[in-house]
Amino acid sequence: MADNPIDWRRYPLQMTTAASLGSDLEDCYNRLLADSPRLFSSQHKKLEYWFLPQNLSKQGQLYLFSALVCYSCPHPTVLQLFRETTCQRVYIPAALCARPVENDHDVADLLQVGHGLATLPKFEMSDQESHEHSFFIFRQKDSWSEFLTTREIFQQILASQSVFPPFLDFVHAFGFKISDLEHENQSIECYRRHIVHRSDSLEGVELYELCYNLQFFELNGRSVNTPWSLRQTGVYQKVNFQTKTTVWILLQPSKRAEKRLKDAFGSRTSQTPLTEMNSPMKLHQPFLHVAVSGWNEYVAYLRKDVNALDEKACFSRVGQEHKCDFEVTFADSQKLQLVRRRLLRASSVLDSSLEVLCGCILHCRELELQGIESAKMCDQIASYTAQLEGHKRKIEVLLVQSSGTTHLLLKILEYRNNEVIHANSETLRSNVRLIGLIAGDTKKENENMSRLTEQGRKDSISVRALTLVATFYLPGTFLATIFSSNLIQVQTRADPVQATHFVIAGEFWVYSVITVALMALTVGLTVGLEKRWSKNKASEQA
């Protein structure tokens, strides 16, 4: 625990220049405030704390504290203490403390009160002296959401432990996201450390801090889209060799890493060598193991997708049609591009993990030079590095293969498109020829129609002339018809002056009436038929 906690409200502005490692403290502070809505929750106020006391020899004595921070008062009201092996729960109210629980010192005092309760199992202390481990764990609901705690609680923890400001750069890689691609926009740096040497001697280490972000792929249990998702875990460790305390801050640790971490605590016994128990790098193994494991399955998943498209590209028939041939479409190129993006992201994640492993190896070797046992862990990390380098080579091979497959798919699509274009051109030329023939026939028909139209025009002129002649003779014909009938008679008198004269027959009125009636009937029929024809034509057009 920190001896002189700084004002958490001003963190990290009050950190020393040496601890800042060149970071702009004001910029770190402003960025934390600006990014706070994306990183932290405004509703959840939870902090999970794990504690392993010193000199503990009994297996499985890992105590977990889950503090539900209630902001109706400025400090936690209840701490829930339970033993992991038996799940025994003891509730310690804040009233048991002499003062309010405001920082990590008060939490430590509260734990001392809790240790005195009769309901707690007795400790079996060892003669060997080991480190005290404290874990502060910040979780997310899922990998795309904010931390289930507030910025104030987060700042309190970091300020109470005097965490060096570069750790904040790794924190910003978490928080709310709307796309898995936002992992690619995080800080390029993946590993930082800070070593403080003893002031009374040229040799020896007083304390060191290191932090890193580990990215890895994990099955998400979903059947739609890809079954793999990119996860990340942030790890901070501060080891004080004078007080023999180790402080851990874990950001979204995976369940597999937690299980291996508990197993590592459970393996501590009184027969465990002192140098191995005090190795500060030993507990990094669960997190590094999770980052390395699972790559065989993920690379096999990517290889399956690449091989499926590569087989389609290599064995598609070109220049000949077959009913069992592969159907190559533009969607295959799109799918292959998505696979290439996964390969590039996997390559980036491998580079990030290799950077973390190289940093850990260098740190182990430096601790080894200072007389701190780290040889076994260094060998283990070297083994992890070799595994990731092997996976890196596999990813590079798949990238080269996918590049060739992309080129071949595009060539096949280009060739088949050219075939389609050629077939369409032939069809178009054939259609043009047919259109030319149809146009020639149409021209001949139009010429025939023109001749018929001209002939009809000449006929109409002749008919009109005949009509005029007939109309000219029509009155005379009408009069001749009347005078040649019995309606008008010629009578001869004895008077030589009026010897001959015309006499209208008495039945002449019958002729007049019948003629007028027939004329009216004819006009009526003509008008009626015209109206009926017009109505039928209008209905047909409608």
Side-chain angles (χ1 to χ4, degrees):
M1 303 290 179
D3 297 329
N4 298 309
I6 62 177
D7 182 8
W8 64 268
R9 298 174 184 83
R10 300 286 296 167
Y11 177 85
L13 294 177
Q14 295 183 355
M15 297 295 293
T16 61
T17 305
S20 66
L21 297 180
S23 301
D24 187 339
L25 298 181
E26 185 174 356
D27 180 69
C28 290
Y29 178 74
N30 293 333
R31 187 183 177 193
L32 181 63
L33 294 182
D35 216 13
S36 157
R38 186 184 66 84
L39 291 174
F40 305 104
S41 172
S42 59
Q43 300 176 349
H44 301 88
K45 304 178 177 67
K46 294 182 180 180
L47 168 64
E48 189 171 337
Y49 176 74
W50 296 8
F51 178 72
L52 184 69
Q54 292 182 357
N55 305 335
L56 200 61
S57 64
K58 196 171 184 179
Q59 290 189 11
Q61 298 287 348
L62 174 62
Y63 286 82
L64 284 73
F65 303 86
S66 296
L68 177 62
V69 180
C70 179
Y71 257 73
S72 59
C73 55
H75 57 78
T77 56
V78 176
L79 286 176
Q80 179 186 3
L81 174 65
F82 63 92
R83 181 180 176 184
E84 180 68 15
T85 54
T86 62
C87 295
Q88 180 178 358
R89 297 167 183 260
V90 178
Y91 293 92
I92 306 175
L96 293 178
C97 298
R99 59 183 183 276
V101 181
E102 295 180 346
N103 53 48
D104 55 295
H105 294 289
D106 298 328
V107 173
D109 294 341
L110 182 58
L111 299 183
Q112 293 299 326
V113 176
H115 289 168
L117 295 178
T119 53
L120 273 175
K122 299 297 182 181
F123 292 126
E124 290 186 11
M125 310 306 292
S126 170
D127 294 335
Q128 303 182 91
E129 199 174 59
S130 62
H131 273 260
E132 174 184 282
H133 291 271
S134 298
F135 291 83
F136 296 93
I137 302 177
F138 295 94
R139 302 186 186 277
Q140 299 170 279
K141 183 179 180 181
D142 53 65
S143 55
W144 289 11
S145 63
E146 66 275 1
F147 289 112
L148 299 176
T149 190
T150 61
R151 176 183 58 83
E152 291 78 7
I153 296 176
F154 190 80
Q155 274 188 282
Q156 288 182 48
I157 298 301
L158 268 62
S160 66
Q161 306 304 321
S162 299
V163 176
F164 65 160
F167 177 61
L168 292 176
D169 292 334
F170 298 86
V171 175
H172 288 288
F174 292 82
F176 177 77
K177 300 179 181 66
I178 60 175
S179 170
D180 199 20
L181 297 178
E182 294 187 30
H183 286 286
E184 300 174 0
N185 300 327
Q186 68 179 50
S187 175
I188 299 177
E189 191 175 25
C190 304
Y191 176 89
R192 290 293 296 272
R193 64 171 181 159
H194 175 221
I195 298 179
V196 178
H197 294 274
R198 296 182 186 272
S199 59
D200 56 351
S201 174
L202 296 177
E203 296 182 355
V205 176
E206 179 180 344
L207 64 88
Y208 75 79
E209 296 175 89
L210 67 85
C211 63
Y212 52 82
N213 270 3
L214 282 174
Q215 294 181 331
F216 54 93
F217 290 94
E218 194 173 52
L219 288 170
N220 53 34
R222 297 192 295 265
S223 57
V224 294
N225 298 327
T226 172
W228 293 85
S229 294
L230 180 61
R231 313 294 191 198
Q232 62 176 344
T233 296
V235 178
Y236 167 85
Q237 182 192 32
K238 182 176 184 179
V239 179
N240 192 320
F241 292 99
Q242 289 187 340
T243 61
K244 297 191 180 300
T245 57
T246 301
V247 175
W248 298 80
I249 297 178
L250 305 180
L251 307 178
Q252 189 67 4
S254 67
K255 294 181 179 180
R256 290 184 295 157
E258 287 186 27
K259 183 179 183 303
R260 295 185 69 87
L261 186 62
K262 295 173 184 177
D263 292 342
F265 277 121
S267 64
R268 293 180 55 167
T269 64
S270 57
Q271 288 76 30
T272 305
L274 178 61
T275 55
E276 185 177 343
M277 291 178 65
N278 285 338
S279 176
M281 296 297 293
K282 178 184 178 182
L283 292 182
H284 288 276
Q285 192 270 343
F287 308 106
L288 300 178
H289 177 82
V290 169
V292 174
S293 63
W295 274 102
N296 284 324
E297 292 80 5
Y298 186 64
V299 172
Y301 164 74
L302 295 176
R303 183 185 295 110
K304 179 181 178 182
D305 287 346
V306 173
N307 288 341
L309 294 171
D310 187 68
E311 180 181 2
K312 180 179 289 190
C314 291
F315 297 102
S316 292
R317 299 175 184 270
V318 178
Q320 53 182 331
E321 296 183 359
H322 196 275
K323 61 180 181 180
C324 297
D325 194 10
F326 290 102
E327 181 182 0
V328 179
T329 63
F330 185 72
D332 295 322
S333 298
Q334 292 178 314
K335 183 178 180 181
L336 185 58
Q337 178 60 23
L338 292 175
V339 175
R340 282 183 57 80
R341 285 173 59 177
R342 296 192 192 106
L343 289 170
L344 291 172
R345 190 185 308 168
S347 179
S348 175
V349 171
L350 285 170
D351 289 337
S352 171
S353 300
L354 286 171
E355 181 182 342
V356 173
L357 292 176
C358 290
C360 290
I361 288 179
L362 291 176
H363 188 69
C364 287
R365 289 174 179 172
E366 188 164 347
L367 292 179
E368 193 74 22
L369 293 176
Q370 301 296 331
I372 302 173
E373 173 61 34
S374 301
K376 289 187 176 182
M377 189 60 192
C378 189
D379 293 340
Q380 183 67 57
I381 297 176
S383 174
Y384 290 156
T385 303
Q387 295 180 43
L388 289 187
E389 287 176 347
H391 295 310
K392 172 73 174 177
R393 288 190 292 272
K394 295 176 184 178
I395 293 295
E396 290 175 351
V397 170
L398 289 176
L399 278 170
V400 174
Q401 180 182 355
S402 63
S403 178
T405 303
T406 301
H407 180 73
L408 188 54
L409 282 175
L410 292 178
K411 285 295 183 181
I412 293 174
L413 288 175
E414 182 180 359
Y415 181 85
R416 292 187 175 179
N417 287 337
N418 290 336
E419 285 186 330
V420 172
I421 292 173
H422 178 72
N424 291 338
S425 299
E426 290 295 328
T427 303
L428 182 61
R429 281 194 290 269
S430 176
N431 291 337
V432 168
R433 287 193 297 269
L434 291 175
I435 291 173
L437 295 175
I438 294 173
D441 295 339
T442 304
K443 183 179 179 181
K444 292 179 180 180
E445 291 179 359
N446 290 335
E447 292 175 352
N448 294 331
M449 290 297 296
S450 298
R451 286 194 297 269
L452 292 175
T453 302
E454 182 65 21
Q455 185 66 36
R457 187 181 67 80
K458 293 178 180 180
D459 292 342
S460 65
I461 293 174
S462 301
V463 171
R464 184 174 59 181
L466 293 174
T467 302
L468 289 175
V469 172
T471 304
F472 178 77
Y473 286 104
L474 188 61
T477 303
F478 175 72
L479 290 176
T481 301
I482 292 178
F483 279 103
S484 63
S485 64
N486 293 326
L487 297 176
I488 297 177
Q489 299 176 358
V490 178
Q491 293 182 359
T492 303
R493 293 181 179 180
D495 187 359
V497 179
Q498 298 180 350
T500 302
H501 63 277
F502 294 96
V503 178
I504 298 175
E507 292 83 5
F508 186 82
W509 64 271
V510 177
Y511 167 77
S512 299
V513 171
I514 293 174
T515 299
V516 171
L518 289 176
M519 289 177 59
L521 179 62
T522 302
V523 172
L525 288 174
T526 302
V527 173
L529 290 175
E530 286 290 341
K531 288 184 178 181
R532 183 176 181 182
W533 292 338
S534 299
K535 186 176 180 181
N536 292 337
K537 186 176 181 180
S539 62
E540 289 177 358
Q541 291 179 351

